[in-house]
Amino acid sequence: MATAKETRHDALGLDPERLLTMYRQMVTARAIDRRMWVLNRQGKAPFVISGQGHEAAQVGAAAALRPGVDWLVPYYRDLAFCIALGMTPLDFMLSVFARKDDPNSSARQMPSHFGLKRARIVTSSSPVATQILHAAGIAYASKVRGLDEVAVTCIGEGGTSKGDWHEGLNFAGVHKLPFICIVQDNDYAISVPHRLQMGVDSVAKRATGYGMFGETVDGGDVLEMYEAMRRAVERARGGEGSTLICAKVARFTSHSSDDDQRRYRPQEELEALLRRDPIERFRAYLAGEGLLGDEEDERIQQEATTDVDAAVKTAEAAEPPDPATILERVFAEHG
Amino acid sequence: MATAKETRHDALGLDPERLLTMYRQMVTARAIDRRMWVLNRQGKAPFVISGQGHEAAQVGAAAALRPGVDWLVPYYRDLAFCIALGMTPLDFMLSVFARKDDPNSSARQMPSHFGLKRARIVTSSSPVATQILHAAGIAYASKVRGLDEVAVTCIGEGGTSKGDWHEGLNFAGVHKLPFICIVQDNDYAISVPHRLQMGVDSVAKRATGYGMFGETVDGGDVLEMYEAMRRAVERARGGEGSTLICAKVARFTSHSSDDDQRRYRPQEELEALLRRDPIERFRAYLAGEGLLGDEEDERIQQEATTDVDAAVKTAEAAEPPDPATILERVFAEHG
Amino acid sequence: MAVKTLIEGVREALDEEMARDERVWVLGEDVGKKGGVFLATEGLYAKYGEARVLDTPLAESCIVGVAIGSAINGLIPVAEIQFADFIHPAFDQIVSEAARMRYRSNGDFTCPIVIRAPWGGGVHGGLYHSQSVEAFYAHVPGLKVVMPATPEDAKGLLKSAIRDPDPVMFFEHKKTYRLIKGEIPESDYLTPIGPAAVRREGSNLSCFAWGLMLHYCLEAAEAVAREGVEVEVVDLRTLRPLDKDSILRSVEKTAKAMVVHEDNLTGGFGAEISAVIAEEGFEYLDGPVVRVCAPDVPAMPFNKPQEDAFLPNPERIADAMRRLARY
Amino acid sequence: MAVKTLIEGVREALDEEMARDERVWVLGEDVGKKGGVFLATEGLYAKYGEARVLDTPLAESCIVGVAIGSAINGLIPVAEIQFADFIHPAFDQIVSEAARMRYRSNGDFTCPIVIRAPWGGGVHGGLYHSQSVEAFYAHVPGLKVVMPATPEDAKGLLKSAIRDPDPVMFFEHKKTYRLIKGEIPESDYLTPIGPAAVRREGSNLSCFAWGLMLHYCLEAAEAVAREGVEVEVVDLRTLRPLDKDSILRSVEKTAKAMVVHEDNLTGGFGAEISAVIAEEGFEYLDGPVVRVCAPDVPAMPFNKPQEDAFLPNPERIADAMRRLARY
Ligand SMILES: Cc1ncc(C[n+]2csc(CCOP(=O)(O)OP(=O)(O)O)c2C)c(N)n1
Ligand SMILES: Cc1ncc(C[n+]2csc(CCOP(=O)(O)OP(=O)(O)O)c2C)c(N)n1
Ligand SMILES: [Mg+2]
Ligand SMILES: [Mg+2]
């Protein structure tokens, strides 16, 4: 009714079903993420690296994209982003267990080096920031081929210090490409704090210097992220140019299973962040809007756990790669 | 008298003698530069690269520095800058003729790859933008050693597209170093126009993104350049931070003796620029202020020519390097 | 067949491939209106327009990284690095990215790109416009490394490189651009990437080279032939894949081997060729495997006397041939 | 003498040199509070403060370029590259700048810097945390390349590197950090950069190696010794300058040579060693110069079966020793 005040999600054109799908994606990503740490402690996964605390930014961004049409050139924290674009818990667990059928790399790469052709998630490497230029190149091809495909790439705030980040944003800005760079700023690059990484509070302030749009977003608020991302996507498709989004997020875990953040990070700082868990915040919003009751939530959590259990079971039982295939796929000629 | 309106140079604290010295430096640099093109056409200099049109920006900047104390990490157009810091016409001509006593590199490098230890002009290479990081490192050492030495580095607008430029400015911004980057923006990178180089009109707009000061200056106006540079130097010495100066200048010649700008540059554009020759502009200012009469100007021009003639004569007669020394100075052990 | 320069071969290959396949595009510094600093892309801008003949910002990592991305999204880029000396900033994109796309994605993503760069000295380019960089890239699995020495090969190999489904490093010796002339077939031919070519038959020793040095070796072979020393001169043409069979076949025939390159001696690609011969051709050998290369100093100085002292020349090569023949 | 790990040797060298000379400083990613991802700089931040133990932005070219600049203005930087795999973005600063400062300025400017990086595999690091990069740098005139294999050498060579007036690449095999223990003299000693060390005397064949492979070669030598094959195992320790005399002396004695490295075969530094032997030690040779190396695929996969298939191991090395001894 005209009298009822419009909700935030109405204003964004997100219906309850979309919202619950987004919630489910965040919950699933978190369930997978928690589980891989358990597997690591059990000695079943030699290496894990986490996206806990980044889920709202990633799922909010993914919601503004067309899976399989727009491109994601990801980085290693993008588990929730990949799940939202169609990666399954099994796809991921196959890489955690380094199995032959891992669709990311057939276990040639460490877990969280995402790549999924069917979802247009581009194969990623370890060297930070190289992907920015690939996204710029994909966007350039999209433009000259007259396609309306948008190239989205993610990186941490530490990665913005690299030359490739600059060269990629400069190129995108020159040609007003359908290019969006999402910087997931969690205040740390492993142990290096923000103050030693850059002389500015939000890297989005660099956007004007590249001739692109810049936005600083609360990456813990999935709706705010969706809104900023939708604007960016519209500009990209409309030929108005590129966007640099700085999403302020929190890194809940140590950098990776090889790190122990207690060595360099104040406990209070972390606890304060944990009190503002993006998933909790979204749950509270949905509950407040009467879109998510306790049983329903219970069910969603339960389903996620069941899916992850099944994925772990199947992945653990799957075949490792055959050593003989190590020589394959160096060139087209061999395999 | 209190009634007489203050001149621009009074306001800047530049007395007539300083002004004439600066004028002389510009005239000398131009005379050398013109001569090297003649030598090139005579087949006596296989390669030359020019600073014509950049003299006011360079001499104005140099005037704010302490030669032999502050550092210049130059680029290949900085002939006038080097002259102003104490490089002699002979020093330079020895490199043009590739002579053993060339103080820049003993003719190991092409001319205009400046380096002069006594003047704290740091040895430079050909790869564009690598020098930015050296200047940042010099400034970092100056800061931690408690010195008040300022590190100044120059580059063209094309060079700002390189990763090293970004990494250097970011580092300087993080530590608020006594670092000044002067971008000599002449609208072309060889043949590549500004619009294909960056998505912004003045690269100085990137300064805030690095947490430093930014200034866009008419690099054809030696006094305006001096003023901006003096501010930057004061900030640097005062520990207030780094500065990015974009000096709009004009490239009067082809990129180098290997280039022919008529292939890509409209003739009218060039003619328009030539009508605003920075040396002419400074001469007009000095004449207008009654500081430079025709004979005096004539004398200055004459002296410059004489100096250059002498330098060419001596350099041409000088010894080339001994082939046997090619193996020396790879490491400290050998030579 | 018309006699043309090596750079004409390059230009024709680019033009023909761009005309044949609209996915092919050229990017680099000054490749547009200017047509490249060596005019390799002259005329392409006018013919195919800015989108397909793009002047990039001054950033080599950008050039290669954007090329890679454009290939992921359906284009076939030919990236020009203005001088091989300036390819280093792109080292990470080439070695960590281009060379591994296929391997790391188990074949799901590929990287059909060509990276062209003028290399080599003898043009008073000084320390930073004269270098040989082939050894760095010929060491990297996932890359092909092509070094044409004749106009016919420059054209035929570049066309093959552009049609190759994997990344190809294509190095053109800048001094040969106009110095080396030769016939170029009118037909739409391809020269396969891989096989070496015996440029001169000989029975006393085998000499392996590429680029400008191949021509110096041929000169030297002429000189010593007058003294009765018959040198077999092999143009390797591509360093990776390396044509081991041709190398070993030649050594089996002559029993003596020599490698010549203008890159620095230590760790140059000549070492790999020596190593292959010393391991797989040991039985054939009747003398040491000799390397004639540039000294271990950082590239050749600008001044003429030292530039000459740096570069191997036909005389030095001929002396080495005589010594080895006498061994 | 106390038995310590290799990484302790590294840490002690840094600590002692920083205490000795206040111009020495450490920079890199996570070298501060965290003490480095392998804890090589643990404790230095607390002891010497942020200005001398600096966490840099995430930018390798910046790390090296700033180090160079700081050396020009009187400091002695020890730059840490977190993994050798990530040194590539600094390739230009290392090769075009650090290696040439002295040469291009005819001695007026110098570059006394050390660049440390953990390299090598066997730690399920996958394609990008396992690589060998020594061949790229050992090819570059102006650089010294040090590859310690024991705790004593790690400390003694690093101290020499820090006191060296020229740029030194210092590569530490990450798997040896804690795996390899050994005695470290209490005294303030230096190990000279250059000389190789014969780790095991033998008469039947010479085996040259560095890093982790040295230890695998020693294991293999033990195994074949039981069968009467006496292998001389030489730890090269520094690849540049290369100790040719020790290499040739050993081959003169055994008449058979073998090089082992975990870098890819083609164009690896083993090729240079083979080439030196094939040219300067040809008369001594009684058999092919054998190389036991990783296959030519882009680095070792993450999954265990393929990681094991990639790395040479004592068994593979012992087999090669047997074959060569029988030759
Ligand atoms: C070129 C390069 N240098 C160093 C590393 C090692 N490394 C991996 S992640 C990381 C920190 C990244 O921090 P940030 O960009 O802020 O992303 P975050 O992990 O915080 O999400 C570092 C230094 C790397 N992978 N690549
Ligand atoms: C890394 C690198 N790439 C390419 C070149 C070749 N090159 C020399 S100068 C130049 C153009 C520089 O333009 P800009 O930075 O605007 O300076 P300007 O010459 O206009 O003063 C180019 C491309 C180089 N020297 N280094
Ligand atoms: Mg971060
Ligand atoms: Mg310019």
Side-chain angles (χ1 to χ4, degrees):
Chain A
M1 304 75 65
T3 57
K5 85 166 220 331
E6 197 186 39
T7 65
R8 284 181 66 199
H9 60 271
D10 291 335
L12 294 170
L14 291 170
D15 59 34
E17 197 184 325
R18 284 292 297 293
L19 295 175
L20 287 182
T21 305
M22 290 163 71
Y23 180 66
R24 216 174 279 109
Q25 291 164 345
M26 291 165 69
V27 168
T28 305
R30 180 68 63 90
I32 295 170
D33 201 307
R34 288 226 174 95
R35 179 68 56 90
M36 70 183 176
W37 285 91
V38 175
L39 293 168
N40 174 256
R41 280 189 296 275
Q42 293 173 337
K44 293 180 174 181
F47 175 83
V48 301
I49 187 161
S50 205
Q52 292 182 46
H54 292 225
E55 295 95 339
Q58 294 172 18
V59 168
L65 297 178
R66 297 163 303 179
V69 177
D70 298 319
W71 298 79
L72 174 65
V73 192
Y75 91 126
Y76 48 86
R77 296 211 191 277
D78 284 339
L79 176 59
F81 212 138
C82 293
I83 294 292
L85 292 179
M87 184 174 285
T88 67
L90 179 58
D91 289 333
F92 182 73
M93 280 301 169
L94 285 166
S95 77
V96 171
F97 284 97
R99 298 312 191 209
K100 179 171 131 299
D101 294 336
D102 157 29
N104 297 278
S105 75
S106 189
R108 283 174 169 188
Q109 294 214 78
M110 296 172 139
S112 300
H113 286 54
F114 301 106
L116 191 64
K117 193 175 186 180
R118 69 171 192 273
R120 289 205 161 170
I121 298 168
V122 175
T123 175
S124 45
S125 62
S126 303
V128 163
T130 52
Q131 74 273 22
I132 306 298
L133 286 161
H134 305 162
I138 289 169
Y140 185 79
S142 175
K143 183 183 178 187
V144 301
R145 292 177 61 198
L147 308 172
D148 72 343
E149 301 167 2
V150 178
V152 178
T153 186
C154 296
I155 190 168
E157 88 288 348
T160 65
S161 298
K162 281 201 60 73
D164 277 9
W165 183 83
H166 168 70
E167 295 189 10
L169 268 74
N170 183 55
F171 186 83
V174 165
H175 296 284
K176 299 210 171 306
L177 299 179
F179 167 97
I180 300 168
C181 177
I182 301 172
V183 175
Q184 299 179 32
D185 182 348
N186 58 16
D187 268 323
Y188 286 91
I190 304 185
S191 71
V192 182
H194 198 284
R195 75 174 170 87
L196 289 174
Q197 195 64 244
M198 62 183 80
V200 62
D201 57 349
S202 168
V203 76
K205 292 190 176 157
R206 293 181 182 166
T208 47
Y210 293 118
M212 59 176 66
F213 300 87
E215 307 225 24
T216 304
V217 176
D218 173 0
D221 181 334
V222 66
L223 296 182
E224 186 177 330
M225 186 68 192
Y226 171 76
E227 187 177 3
M229 187 67 176
R230 204 182 54 176
R231 272 195 301 274
V233 170
E234 278 161 10
R235 284 192 294 258
R237 294 215 188 100
E240 293 164 58
S242 311
T243 302
L244 168 60
I245 295 176
C246 177
K248 297 286 191 178
V249 295
R251 191 189 83 195
F252 286 172
T253 66
S254 285
H255 172 74
S256 75
S257 51
D258 294 339
D259 178 43
D260 176 3
Q261 62 182 343
R262 287 168 307 185
R263 294 181 65 92
Y264 54 81
R265 192 174 192 180
Q267 186 58 21
E268 323 69 67
E269 172 186 301
L270 190 58
E271 279 157 7
L273 292 171
L274 285 164
R275 270 182 245 105
R276 307 196 68 240
D277 185 322
I279 299 183
E280 294 304 327
R281 288 170 66 187
F282 194 31
R283 175 189 291 120
Y285 176 84
L286 294 171
E289 295 292 339
L291 300 173
L292 180 68
D294 288 352
E295 303 86 70
E296 168 97 43
D297 187 25
E298 193 39 59
R299 214 173 35 67
I300 290 172
Q301 305 280 352
Q302 198 41 62
E303 275 169 19
T305 317
T306 319
D307 292 356
V308 175
D309 290 340
V312 168
K313 200 150 170 297
T314 312
E316 191 163 10
E319 287 288 304
D322 171 357
T325 62
I326 189 177
L327 299 176
E328 293 173 7
R329 305 209 160 92
V330 177
F331 293 108
E333 296 85 278
H334 1 110
Chain B
M1 304 74 60
T3 55
K5 87 164 217 334
E6 196 185 41
T7 64
R8 285 181 66 198
H9 59 274
D10 290 336
L12 293 170
L14 291 170
D15 59 35
E17 195 183 323
R18 283 292 297 293
L19 294 174
L20 287 181
T21 305
M22 290 162 72
Y23 180 66
R24 216 175 277 108
Q25 291 164 346
M26 289 165 72
V27 167
T28 305
R30 181 67 64 90
I32 295 171
D33 200 308
R34 286 223 174 98
R35 179 67 58 89
M36 71 183 176
W37 285 91
V38 175
L39 293 167
N40 175 256
R41 279 190 296 275
Q42 294 173 335
K44 293 179 175 181
F47 175 84
V48 300
I49 187 162
S50 204
Q52 292 182 44
H54 292 226
E55 294 94 341
Q58 294 173 17
V59 169
L65 298 177
R66 296 163 303 179
V69 177
D70 298 318
W71 298 79
L72 174 64
V73 192
Y75 90 127
Y76 48 86
R77 297 210 190 279
D78 284 338
L79 175 60
F81 211 139
C82 293
I83 294 292
L85 292 179
M87 184 176 284
T88 68
L90 177 58
D91 290 333
F92 183 72
M93 281 301 170
L94 285 165
S95 78
V96 170
F97 283 97
R99 299 314 193 204
K100 178 171 135 300
D101 294 336
D102 158 30
N104 297 278
S105 75
S106 188
R108 284 175 169 187
Q109 294 213 77
M110 295 172 139
S112 300
H113 285 55
F114 301 105
L116 191 64
K117 191 174 186 180
R118 68 171 193 271
R120 288 207 163 168
I121 298 168
V122 176
T123 175
S124 45
S125 62
S126 303
V128 163
T130 52
Q131 75 273 22
I132 306 298
L133 286 160
H134 305 163
I138 289 168
Y140 184 79
S142 174
K143 184 182 178 186
V144 301
R145 292 176 60 199
L147 309 171
D148 71 343
E149 300 167 3
V150 178
V152 179
T153 186
C154 295
I155 191 168
E157 89 288 348
T160 65
S161 298
K162 282 201 60 74
D164 276 8
W165 182 82
H166 168 69
E167 295 189 9
L169 269 74
N170 183 56
F171 186 83
V174 165
H175 295 283
K176 301 207 168 309
L177 298 180
F179 167 97
I180 300 168
C181 177
I182 301 171
V183 175
Q184 299 180 30
D185 182 348
N186 58 16
D187 268 324
Y188 286 91
I190 305 186
S191 71
V192 182
H194 199 284
R195 73 174 172 89
L196 289 175
Q197 195 63 245
M198 63 183 78
V200 63
D201 56 350
S202 168
V203 76
K205 291 191 177 154
R206 293 182 181 165
T208 47
Y210 294 118
M212 59 175 65
F213 300 88
E215 306 224 24
T216 303
V217 176
D218 173 359
D221 181 335
V222 65
L223 296 183
E224 186 177 330
M225 187 67 192
Y226 170 76
E227 187 177 2
M229 187 67 176
R230 202 181 56 173
R231 271 194 302 271
V233 169
E234 277 161 11
R235 284 191 295 258
R237 293 212 191 102
E240 293 165 57
S242 310
T243 302
L244 169 59
I245 295 176
C246 177
K248 297 287 191 178
V249 297
R251 193 189 81 195
F252 285 173
T253 66
S254 285
H255 172 74
S256 76
S257 51
D258 294 339
D259 180 41
D260 176 3
Q261 63 183 343
R262 288 168 307 184
R263 292 181 66 89
Y264 54 80
R265 192 174 193 180
Q267 185 59 20
E268 322 70 65
E269 173 186 301
L270 190 58
E271 281 157 6
L273 291 172
L274 287 163
R275 271 182 246 107
R276 308 197 66 240
D277 186 324
I279 299 183
E280 294 304 327
R281 288 170 67 187
F282 195 28
R283 174 189 292 118
Y285 176 84
L286 295 171
E289 296 293 338
L291 301 172
L292 181 66
D294 287 352
E295 303 85 72
E296 167 100 40
D297 185 25
E298 194 38 61
R299 215 171 36 65
I300 290 172
Q301 304 280 353
Q302 198 40 62
E303 276 169 18
T305 316
T306 321
D307 292 356
V308 175
D309 289 339
V312 168
K313 198 149 172 300
T314 313
E316 191 163 11
E319 286 290 302
D322 171 357
T325 62
I326 188 177
L327 298 176
E328 293 173 6
R329 307 214 159 89
V330 176
F331 293 107
E333 295 83 277
H334 2 111
Chain C
M1 297 200 288
V3 170
K4 297 177 175 163
T5 61
L6 193 141
I7 192 134
E8 286 176 294
V10 171
R11 201 182 299 127
E12 286 184 6
L14 292 170
D15 191 3
E16 289 178 17
E17 292 303 298
M18 290 185 80
R20 181 186 61 83
D21 185 341
E22 66 168 12
R23 295 172 305 168
V24 178
W25 70 299
V26 166
L27 70 161
E29 296 153 7
D30 306 290
V31 297
K33 272 191 192 157
K34 182 174 166 71
V37 295
F38 292 100
L39 303 183
T41 58
E42 191 176 23
L44 300 180
Y45 179 89
K47 195 162 169 186
Y48 301 104
E50 185 169 281
R52 288 183 67 195
V53 186
L54 184 68
D55 278 331
T56 62
L58 203 176
E60 287 68 22
S61 192
C62 172
I63 292 169
V64 174
V66 164
I68 292 169
S70 77
I72 289 171
N73 199 6
L75 299 182
I76 299 173
V78 183
E80 175 175 300
I81 300 296
Q82 196 159 79
F83 287 84
D85 311 65
F86 306 134
I87 200 170
H88 299 338
F91 196 74
D92 194 36
Q93 282 289 346
I94 297 168
V95 173
S96 301
E97 300 298 324
R100 298 173 182 208
M101 283 278 158
R102 183 185 294 276
Y103 196 74
R104 80 180 187 220
S105 67
N106 198 38
D108 277 357
F109 291 87
T110 64
C111 191
I113 72 172
V114 178
I115 300 173
R116 294 180 43 245
W119 66 287
V123 298
H124 40 252
L127 299 183
Y128 296 99
H129 295 79
S130 309
Q131 293 171 76
S132 306
V133 300
E134 68 271 17
F136 295 124
Y137 298 101
H139 174 48
V140 178
L143 298 179
K144 296 179 180 178
V145 178
V146 180
M147 324 274 300
T150 69
E152 176 176 352
D153 280 357
K155 179 174 179 179
L157 284 166
L158 182 52
K159 286 169 69 98
S160 295
I162 292 169
R163 299 184 195 191
D164 196 279
D166 288 299
V168 179
M169 309 297 295
F170 196 88
F171 295 120
E172 305 153 10
H173 196 293
K174 65 178 79 71
K175 187 165 185 168
T176 66
Y177 270 149
R178 288 173 175 74
L179 180 72
I180 303 303
K181 300 183 183 57
E183 294 190 326
I184 292 184
E186 308 300 338
S187 65
D188 171 15
Y189 70 100
L190 295 173
T191 308
I193 293 174
V198 175
R199 298 297 184 191
R200 185 184 209 286
E201 297 270 345
S203 53
N204 299 133
L205 69 93
S206 303
C207 179
F208 305 97
W210 53 91
L212 178 67
M213 289 301 127
L214 172 79
H215 302 283
Y216 285 5
C217 290
L218 287 167
E219 266 186 62
E222 279 303 318
V224 298
R226 290 184 221 104
E227 306 154 25
V229 178
E230 287 306 330
V231 179
E232 179 146 299
V233 180
V234 181
D235 177 0
L236 290 178
R237 299 201 287 191
T238 72
L239 299 187
R240 189 143 194 167
L242 181 64
D243 187 351
K244 287 187 182 186
D245 297 347
S246 297
I247 292 170
L248 294 170
R249 207 177 311 112
S250 181
V251 176
E252 180 172 19
K253 173 174 155 192
T254 66
K256 288 179 178 173
M258 175 168 143
V259 194
V260 180
H261 59 63
E262 67 180 86
D263 192 4
N264 308 104
L265 172 75
T266 301
F269 200 71
E272 177 61 29
I273 295 157
S274 301
V276 166
I277 295 169
E279 180 158 15
E280 299 174 43
F282 181 72
E283 281 92 347
Y284 310 145
L285 281 176
D286 224 340
V289 183
V290 173
R291 288 184 292 171
V292 179
C293 308
D296 285 326
V297 305
M300 66 196 80
F302 171 69
N303 69 86
K304 191 88 173 60
Q306 293 184 324
E307 183 179 70
D308 292 343
F310 180 95
L311 268 181
N313 56 41
E315 295 64 39
R316 264 181 65 199
I317 297 168
D319 290 342
M321 287 173 171
R322 291 187 190 96
R323 268 196 311 280
L324 182 55
R326 272 199 306 274
Y327 180 90
Chain D
M1 293 200 290
V3 170
K4 295 177 177 165
T5 61
L6 193 142
I7 190 126
E8 285 175 293
V10 171
R11 202 182 300 128
E12 286 184 5
L14 292 171
D15 190 5
E16 289 178 17
E17 292 303 298
M18 290 185 81
R20 180 186 62 81
D21 184 342
E22 67 168 12
R23 295 171 305 166
V24 178
W25 69 300
V26 166
L27 70 161
E29 295 153 8
D30 306 291
V31 297
K33 269 192 196 156
K34 182 175 164 71
V37 295
F38 293 100
L39 303 183
T41 58
E42 191 177 23
L44 300 180
Y45 180 88
K47 196 163 169 186
Y48 301 104
E50 186 168 279
R52 289 183 66 194
V53 186
L54 184 68
D55 279 331
T56 63
L58 203 176
E60 287 68 22
S61 191
C62 172
I63 291 168
V64 174
V66 163
I68 293 169
S70 78
I72 289 172
N73 199 7
L75 299 182
I76 298 174
V78 183
E80 175 175 301
I81 300 296
Q82 196 161 79
F83 287 84
D85 311 66
F86 306 132
I87 199 170
H88 298 338
F91 196 74
D92 194 37
Q93 282 289 347
I94 297 168
V95 174
S96 300
E97 301 299 323
R100 298 174 180 205
M101 282 278 157
R102 182 186 296 276
Y103 195 75
R104 79 180 187 219
S105 67
N106 199 36
D108 277 357
F109 292 87
T110 63
C111 191
I113 72 174
V114 178
I115 299 174
R116 294 180 44 244
W119 67 286
V123 298
H124 39 251
L127 299 182
Y128 297 99
H129 295 78
S130 309
Q131 292 172 77
S132 305
V133 299
E134 67 271 19
F136 295 123
Y137 298 102
H139 175 47
V140 178
L143 298 179
K144 297 180 180 179
V145 178
V146 180
M147 323 276 297
T150 69
E152 177 176 352
D153 280 357
K155 179 174 179 177
L157 284 166
L158 182 52
K159 287 170 68 100
S160 294
I162 292 169
R163 299 184 194 190
D164 196 279
D166 288 299
V168 179
M169 308 297 293
F170 196 87
F171 295 120
E172 305 154 9
H173 195 293
K174 66 177 80 69
K175 186 164 184 169
T176 66
Y177 270 151
R178 288 172 176 76
L179 181 72
I180 303 303
K181 301 184 182 58
E183 295 191 325
I184 293 185
E186 307 301 337
S187 65
D188 172 15
Y189 69 99
L190 294 174
T191 308
I193 293 175
V198 175
R199 298 298 184 190
R200 186 186 208 284
E201 298 269 346
S203 53
N204 299 132
L205 70 94
S206 304
C207 179
F208 305 97
W210 53 91
L212 177 67
M213 289 300 128
L214 171 78
H215 302 283
Y216 285 5
C217 289
L218 287 167
E219 263 186 66
E222 279 303 318
V224 298
R226 287 180 227 108
E227 304 153 26
V229 177
E230 286 305 330
V231 178
E232 179 147 297
V233 180
V234 181
D235 177 359
L236 291 179
R237 300 201 288 190
T238 73
L239 299 186
R240 189 145 194 164
L242 182 64
D243 186 352
K244 287 186 182 187
D245 298 346
S246 297
I247 293 170
L248 295 170
R249 206 177 311 112
S250 181
V251 177
E252 179 171 21
K253 172 174 154 192
T254 66
K256 287 178 178 172
M258 174 167 142
V259 194
V260 180
H261 59 62
E262 66 179 88
D263 192 4
N264 307 105
L265 172 75
T266 300
F269 200 72
E272 176 62 28
I273 295 157
S274 300
V276 165
I277 295 168
E279 181 159 14
E280 300 174 44
F282 181 73
E283 280 92 346
Y284 310 144
L285 282 176
D286 226 336
V289 184
V290 173
R291 288 184 291 170
V292 179
C293 309
D296 285 327
V297 304
M300 65 196 81
F302 171 69
N303 69 85
K304 191 85 173 59
Q306 293 185 324
E307 182 179 71
D308 293 342
F310 181 96
L311 268 181
N313 56 42
E315 295 65 41
R316 263 182 66 199
I317 297 167
D319 290 343
M321 287 172 171
R322 292 187 191 96
R323 268 196 312 279
L324 182 55
R326 271 199 307 275
Y327 180 92

